[in-house]
């Protein structure tokens, strides 16, 4: 099977765990949905293009950082003693809360990602878009810029056994029952 292999790196990034709110915790590697979203953004896809993705990498750990957090409810009327910011839209005033929160960042992340589109027609579009992105690629948050070191076309095949050299997401179905106990299990979004 033919695939596109990316060698990429990031200085820092947050691959947000969906269930975390107060402190935006991160996965150690981007989930499948985050990589798929980055590919869709770079290619300008506006509808779902299904991709088979392999993600592996290593990093130098995590740090916690403060950021300014803005929150509001749609249609929330501005109240001077309650909201820190007033947003005016024609004759209406909406209230916005401003505060600080924590975000967890993965540092010095180096990754190898393989992408095999399910639709063969998408292969060249994705390959050419990764070679010359129309906008600067980000993986994680919009500000988590991505440094693409190389983009290659490779042939991949299935091995019966392999020893990963980096951290890697492996579907639970590929493990023997007794191997699962020594692994960290994540429920990752795919789309």
């Amino acid at each position: 099977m033919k695939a596109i292999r990316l060698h990429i790196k990031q200085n820092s990034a947050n691959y947000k765990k969906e269930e975390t709110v107060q402190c935006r915790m991160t996965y150690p590697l981007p989930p499948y949905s985050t990589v798929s979203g980055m590919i869709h953004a770079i290619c300008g896809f506006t509808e779902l293009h299904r991709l088979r993705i392999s993600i592996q990498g290593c990093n130098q750990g995590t740090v916690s950082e403060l950021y300014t957090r803005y929150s509001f409810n749609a249609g929330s009327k501005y109240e001077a003693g309650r909201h820190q910011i007033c947003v005016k839209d024609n004759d209406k005033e909406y209230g916005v809360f401003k505060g600080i929160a924590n975000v967890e960042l993965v540092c010095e992340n180096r990754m190898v990602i393989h992408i095999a589109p399910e639709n063969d027609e998408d292969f060249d579009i994705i390959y050419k878009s990764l070679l010359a992105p129309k906008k600067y690629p980000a993986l994680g948050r919009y500000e988590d810029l991505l440094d693409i070191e190389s983009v290659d076309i490779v042939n991949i095949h299935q091995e019966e056994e392999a020893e990963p050299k980096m951290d890697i997401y492996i579907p639970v179905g590929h493990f023997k029952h007794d191997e699962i106990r020594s692994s960290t299990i994540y429920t990752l979004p795919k789309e």
Side-chain angles (χ1 to χ4, degrees):
M1 176 190 300
K2 205 163 68 162
I4 300 165
R5 180 181 62 203
L6 299 174
H7 283 268
I8 58 179
K9 66 180 181 178
Q10 287 182 291
N11 289 335
S12 64
N14 176 271
Y15 314 120
K16 186 177 182 289
K17 291 183 179 179
E18 303 81 13
E19 66 275 2
T20 61
V21 179
Q22 293 298 353
C23 176
R24 291 185 177 184
M25 295 177 73
T26 185
Y27 291 108
L29 296 169
Y32 301 112
S33 61
T34 302
V35 173
S36 179
M38 182 264 301
I39 297 298
H40 279 68
I42 285 176
C43 295
F45 293 153
T46 56
E47 294 179 3
L48 178 63
H49 293 244
R50 296 193 186 281
L51 308 170
R52 292 173 291 238
I53 299 171
S54 167
I55 304 165
Q56 54 187 316
C58 56
N59 60 61
Q60 297 298 311
T62 60
V63 295
S64 183
E65 187 175 271
L66 290 174
Y67 72 98
T68 303
R69 179 179 175 200
Y70 299 91
S71 61
F72 56 91
N73 290 327
S76 177
K77 187 178 173 184
Y78 174 72
E79 297 175 32
R82 186 168 175 234
H83 297 105
Q84 289 77 30
I85 300 171
C86 177
V87 177
K88 295 182 182 184
D89 180 29
N90 295 326
D91 60 340
K92 296 180 182 175
E93 293 183 340
Y94 300 100
V96 178
F97 296 101
K98 179 180 176 182
I100 59 171
N102 285 311
V103 62
E104 188 177 60
L105 300 174
V106 176
C107 300
E108 300 301 321
N109 211 3
R110 295 180 115 6
M111 294 173 279
V112 178
I113 296 177
H114 290 84
I115 303 154
E118 287 188 11
N119 183 348
D120 291 337
E121 295 171 9
D122 292 339
F123 194 93
D124 284 338
I125 296 168
I126 294 169
Y127 179 68
K128 289 174 183 173
S129 296
L130 287 166
L131 284 175
K134 291 182 176 76
K135 64 180 186 174
Y136 206 93
L139 187 59
R141 304 169 302 171
Y142 189 74
E143 64 265 29
D144 295 334
L145 302 179
L146 181 65
D147 184 3
I148 299 175
E149 295 178 318
S150 67
V151 180
D152 302 300
I153 296 174
V154 296
N155 288 313
I156 58 174
H157 62 277
Q158 186 169 337
E159 292 283 336
E160 287 301 315
E161 281 191 34
E163 187 67 36
K165 295 180 174 82
M166 296 189 239
D167 294 336
I168 185 170
Y169 291 135
I170 302 171
V172 173
H174 293 282
F175 282 96
K176 295 175 184 157
H177 183 69
D178 58 333
E179 295 174 321
I180 293 176
R181 282 182 258 166
S182 63
S183 303
T184 303
I185 299 176
Y186 298 107
T187 302
L188 297 174
K190 185 158 184 190
E191 298 171 358

